[in-house]
Amino acid sequence: YSVSLVGPAPWGFRLQGGKDFNMPLAISRLNDGGKAAQAHVGIGDVVLTIDGISTDGMTHLEAQNKIKACTGNLNMTLQR
């Protein structure tokens, strides 16, 4: 499923995993009332794309930097 978080950061979630951890990128924590929680993002949901770019082969830091680069809004494709 796709989610679009509008406005500036903070987005209200934490990531875990990445190529450097041999784990898929996934949502590990949500802030109560944060933008991600309001968009019904779930803990454990796997992040497939960030702003249209596949997270396949992304390290944790690369994914973090990609998310930080999204200033107006953040578009992600997730899998439950």
Side-chain angles (χ1 to χ4, degrees):
Y1 69 98
S2 292
V3 67
S4 185
L5 306 179
V6 181
W11 307 114
F13 68 90
R14 288 202 171 242
L15 277 180
Q16 70 179 11
K19 186 180 81 175
D20 43 342
F21 292 99
N22 288 320
M23 281 173 62
L25 278 163
I27 306 295
S28 64
R29 223 168 86 208
L30 292 170
N31 296 0
D32 287 341
K35 290 177 181 159
Q38 289 172 352
H40 307 293
V41 171
I43 291 174
D45 289 359
V46 176
V47 181
L48 302 176
T49 68
I50 300 168
D51 242 19
I53 294 166
S54 170
T55 59
D56 232 27
M58 254 189 214
T59 65
H60 189 84
L61 190 63
E62 285 170 337
Q64 268 183 330
N65 289 337
K66 186 80 195 123
I67 289 168
K68 282 181 191 158
C70 299
T71 49
N73 59 346
L74 173 59
N75 298 304
M76 297 188 295
T77 308
L78 303 169
Q79 184 177 22
R80 287 221 190 274

